[in-house]
Amino acid sequence: MRFKLLIIPVLLLFSCHKKEKYENVQLIAHAGSGLNTSTSPYHENSQQAVTYATSMEGIQGVEIDIQCSASKTMWLYHDEYLENSTNGEGCVNSVEDAYLEGLHYSGWGSERPIRLSELNFPYTERRLFLDVRAANLCTDQILDQQAVIQSIEMALNGKPYTEICVITNYSPWIHAFFLKGWKVYLNVPTVGEYLSEPFLAETTGLCIRSTEISKNQVAEVKQVGREVVIFEVRSPKGIRQALKKYPDYLMTDNLKAAIIEKYP
Amino acid sequence: MKFRLLLETLLVCCLAGQLQAQDSTRFRYGVQFRYQPVDFFAGVGASLNQKNIQHEVQLNTGVNSTFFQRRFYPQISYRFSWFPVNRRWIQTGPVGITNLSMRRFNKASAHGYSYEEQLLAGVSVGCGQKSRVRFTIAGGLAMEQNWSFMVQKQVTYFSWTFLGELSYSYAF
C-alpha cells in the first residue's frame, strides 16, 4: 500500500508534462560553450569551449566574441579589459599580437585567447556567429570598420564557410557589413529600437535579451521578415520561457539544459 | 529495511579486506546536499567507520536536472576520509572523493548520453558523535565522455571541478 502511494507522486512528476516541439528553434552556444557559467567546463571563447559545443549533437551553432588587436588581427575575447579574465592588462585593441600570444585565461585550466584565424571550427556543419566589438574602451574610440572587415576576411580566408554572420550593437556599422554580403544581427536593448532602426532593411535580424522580448514581439519581428536571436538564457526555467517565444535562434549559456528543454 | 541491508552489504563487500574487528566498526547513515558546477546534488549515504578512517558510499541525484527538467541524473559517489583530529565534538581531516554520474541530455539522439567521472581531494569538518553534521570542500579532475557528432565517436573532455557538501548522518 505504501509502495503504491509512493508511485503516484512519482508518476505525476514524470508524466504530467506536455511535450512541445521546438524543432524550428536553433540552439546556439553563447561565447563558445557558455558565458560566465559554471555548467561549461571551459573558459568562454576558448578553442576547447568551441570544440566542446560543436561536438554536441543538438547544438547548431556557436557565437564567439571577436576584437581587433593593434596588429589588425581578430582575437576571440569577450571582456572589455584583459585584466578581467587573463594575466594581461589593457584592451585587446590597444596591444600587439605578440603580447596577446603570451596570455592565458585566469583559472585552473590551460585555455588561452586565440586568433580567429587559429580557430578550428566545422564551418560546413555548424553556423558561426561573430559578435564584433566596435569600440576600444581604453581610448573611448570607435575602431576603423574597414580595418575590422579586412581582418575578419583575412582570418576566414581559405576556411570553408558558406556565409558570415556578424552581431553588432553599433548600428552605423550595419551598412558596410551589409555591402559585404554578410548577415547582420543588430544587438539592441528593445524591440522598439530595432523596428525603428533606419538600417532595418539591411539587417537579417535582431539579437536581444530574453527578458526584453515577448512572444508577440518575436512574431512581430518575424512578420517584417527578420530573424530573432534570444540570448542570456541559463536556468531551465529561463530556457523554457525563451523557447516558448519561438525565436529563430536561442543563444544559450547552459548547453545540456537547453537540449533537454528542446527535446523533452 | 531492505535498502539499509543493501547498503550495508555493498559496503561490506567493497571493504571486506579491510575489516579487522567488528567492534571497531560503526555504520552511519545520512543525507547530503552538494553543490557542483554542473548541478546541485542531493542523496543518501552510508558509511563504515574504523577508528580514524571512514569509507562512505553515496547515491545522489542532480536536483535541477531531475526535478526541474524531469531528466534523471544519478550519481554514485565513494569517499574516503581520514580524521587526524577525531574528538567527540569535532572531526576534521582530508577526504578523497570519486564520483560517477550519467545523464541522457538529448532524447532526439541515440548517442545523447553524457558520462562524468571525477576524482577530488579536499577537507572536511564534522561536528557531533552520534548525530553528525559535516561540511566538505574538494577540488580535482573531471572527465566527461560525450558522443562527438563531429568525429562520430565517444570523446573525453578533461577539466577541473570542485564541490561543496553539507551532510547529516546518524550512527546506529
Side-chain angles (χ1 to χ4, degrees):
Chain A
M1 184 60 193
R2 265 190 295 177
F3 181 66
K4 281 178 186 169
L5 281 174
L6 185 71
I7 283 182
I8 293 166
V10 172
L11 280 176
L12 281 173
L13 184 69
F14 284 90
S15 62
C16 298
H17 182 53
K18 189 184 164 197
K19 290 186 178 181
E20 295 208 38
K21 295 285 178 196
Y22 303 110
E23 285 298 332
N24 295 330
V25 182
Q26 296 202 32
L27 298 181
I28 305 297
H30 191 196
S33 61
L35 180 66
N36 300 329
T37 175
S38 64
T39 55
S40 167
Y42 301 113
H43 200 283
E44 73 229 18
N45 291 302
S46 64
Q47 177 64 65
Q48 290 91 329
V50 172
T51 305
Y52 179 76
T54 52
S55 68
M56 210 174 276
E57 199 166 1
I59 297 294
Q60 282 87 21
V62 172
E63 180 260 6
I64 52 171
D65 304 279
I66 53 170
Q67 300 191 40
C68 192
S69 71
S71 313
K72 303 286 178 250
T73 310
M74 299 311 294
W75 285 78
L76 276 66
Y77 192 73
H78 176 269
D79 294 351
E80 286 86 3
Y81 302 102
L82 288 165
E83 51 265 44
N84 290 357
S85 35
T86 70
N87 56 335
E89 282 181 2
C91 295
V92 171
N93 322 109
S94 307
V95 297
E96 300 288 338
D97 286 357
Y99 181 77
L100 292 165
E101 280 166 8
L103 302 184
H104 60 79
Y105 283 118
S106 40
W108 289 0
S110 58
E111 301 98 303
R112 62 178 188 86
I114 58 165
R115 290 180 179 87
L116 178 59
S117 59
E118 290 175 302
L119 181 69
N120 183 10
F121 189 81
Y123 290 94
T124 52
E125 310 280 346
R126 297 282 194 265
R127 179 168 291 202
L128 183 65
F129 286 83
L130 305 173
D131 192 341
V132 188
R133 295 299 165 92
N136 179 348
L137 287 187
C138 288
T139 58
D140 255 347
Q141 284 180 329
I142 296 296
L143 303 173
D144 173 8
Q145 191 185 8
Q146 285 312 315
V148 170
I149 288 174
Q150 276 177 10
S151 303
I152 294 173
E153 284 181 323
M154 245 163 52
L156 296 177
N157 187 26
K159 312 270 188 202
Y161 65 87
T162 48
E163 60 190 8
I164 296 178
C165 303
V166 290
I167 299 171
T168 182
N169 57 5
Y170 188 59
S171 57
W173 276 21
I174 293 172
H175 187 61
F177 285 147
F178 173 76
L179 291 179
K180 296 298 296 181
W182 297 357
K183 285 185 149 189
V184 189
Y185 294 84
L186 186 63
N187 184 345
V188 282
T190 64
V191 177
E193 204 173 303
Y194 176 69
L195 292 174
S196 59
E197 170 59 46
F199 290 106
L200 175 71
E202 296 184 354
T203 66
T204 305
L206 92 157
C207 189
I208 193 164
R209 281 191 163 79
S210 185
T211 49
E212 302 302 326
I213 190 166
S214 67
K215 187 178 178 180
N216 290 340
Q217 286 174 315
V218 170
E220 197 181 336
V221 173
K222 284 184 174 182
Q223 246 173 8
V224 296
R226 299 288 168 260
E227 294 178 349
V228 179
V229 182
I230 286 182
F231 72 99
E232 211 153 275
V233 277
R234 296 163 194 274
S235 67
K237 188 182 170 190
I239 293 167
R240 215 171 296 141
Q241 285 173 342
L243 281 169
K244 282 179 179 168
K245 295 172 190 173
Y246 294 98
D248 296 279
Y249 301 98
L250 187 68
M251 202 185 283
T252 179
D253 295 291
N254 191 340
L255 310 190
K256 285 179 187 159
I259 296 172
I260 289 172
E261 291 301 331
K262 185 178 171 182
Y263 306 106
Chain B
M1 190 60 194
K2 276 183 187 171
F3 184 65
R4 183 182 157 182
L5 262 173
L6 184 74
L7 281 175
E8 283 180 3
T9 313
L10 187 68
L11 271 171
V12 170
C13 289
C14 291
L15 311 165
Q18 295 180 41
L19 287 174
Q20 288 164 358
Q22 189 60 40
D23 59 0
S24 69
T25 64
R26 199 167 190 188
F27 286 107
R28 304 185 72 88
Y29 303 92
V31 291
Q32 63 277 335
F33 189 72
R34 59 164 62 162
Y35 170 75
Q36 291 200 251
V38 285
D39 207 337
F40 288 96
F41 287 88
V44 293
S47 65
L48 180 68
N49 299 264
Q50 297 168 282
K51 293 180 181 171
N52 293 346
I53 301 293
Q54 186 187 57
H55 303 276
E56 185 175 2
V57 175
Q58 298 179 348
L59 297 171
N60 298 311
T61 187
V63 173
N64 276 326
S65 187
T66 306
F67 299 105
F68 297 103
Q69 294 201 283
R70 297 175 175 83
R71 198 61 55 90
F72 188 41
Y73 188 9
Q75 180 190 63
I76 186 162
S77 181
Y78 165 74
R79 52 188 284 167
F80 172 84
S81 312
W82 173 52
F83 300 115
V85 177
N86 192 4
R87 305 238 168 84
R88 185 172 171 79
W89 294 107
I90 189 163
Q91 308 81 34
T92 184
V95 293
I97 303 171
T98 179
N99 302 320
L100 300 172
S101 53
M102 187 272 269
R103 173 165 54 159
R104 186 176 187 190
F105 66 93
N106 189 348
K107 280 192 174 176
S109 165
H111 305 293
Y113 291 87
S114 175
Y115 305 92
E116 291 150 29
E117 300 91 39
Q118 294 162 356
L119 204 58
L120 305 104
V123 290
S124 77
V125 181
C127 183
Q129 192 68 8
K130 205 162 175 63
S131 184
R132 182 181 293 172
V133 174
R134 186 152 75 136
F135 181 67
T136 307
I137 50 167
L141 186 68
M143 286 171 286
E144 180 179 327
Q145 279 101 37
N146 289 331
W147 175 267
S148 171
F149 177 68
M150 302 314 302
V151 293
Q152 292 289 305
K153 66 174 185 181
Q154 208 75 13
V155 174
T156 303
Y157 299 94
F158 292 90
S159 61
W160 297 101
T161 191
F162 63 91
L163 68 79
E165 181 187 288
L166 190 64
S167 64
Y168 168 80
S169 63
Y170 189 80
F172 288 91

